[in-house]
């Protein structure tokens, strides 16, 4: 079964950053990959986790 998509608030809470930070990152092509569904941005949890993992790998 596929995980439910996350909204901006869900991702912000997971990453412990303000919602506005996610919007700024999107405008700079940074951060986890989001999917636009109509006027909403949604995130696949596995994409968010993969993005975090990539930051950890870069830091090593």
């Amino acid at each position: 079964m596929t995980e439910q998509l996350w909204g901006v608030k869900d991702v912000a809470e997971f990453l412990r950053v303000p919602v506005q930070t996610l919007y700024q990152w999107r405008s700079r092509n940074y951060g986890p990959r989001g999917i636009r569904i109509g006027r909403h941005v949604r995130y696949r949890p596995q994409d968010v986790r993969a993005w975090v993992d990539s930051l950890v790998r870069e830091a090593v």
Side-chain angles (χ1 to χ4, degrees):
M1 181 173 182
T2 305
E3 286 185 270
Q4 184 175 11
L5 296 175
W6 288 353
V8 176
K9 289 181 183 178
D10 299 315
V11 177
E13 184 177 311
F14 178 80
L15 297 176
R16 297 188 180 192
V17 299
V19 168
Q20 190 59 36
T21 298
L22 287 176
Y23 286 120
Q24 289 174 0
W25 287 352
R26 277 186 61 80
S27 71
R28 297 181 179 133
N29 293 318
Y30 182 75
R33 184 172 58 143
I35 305 161
R36 182 163 292 283
I37 300 176
R39 62 183 191 149
H40 304 283
V41 178
R42 296 291 181 253
Y43 295 85
R44 295 187 323 169
Q46 63 266 31
D47 290 342
V48 176
R49 291 184 189 107
W51 179 75
V52 171
D53 289 345
S54 75
L55 295 177
V56 172
R57 284 191 297 275
E58 288 176 13
V60 173

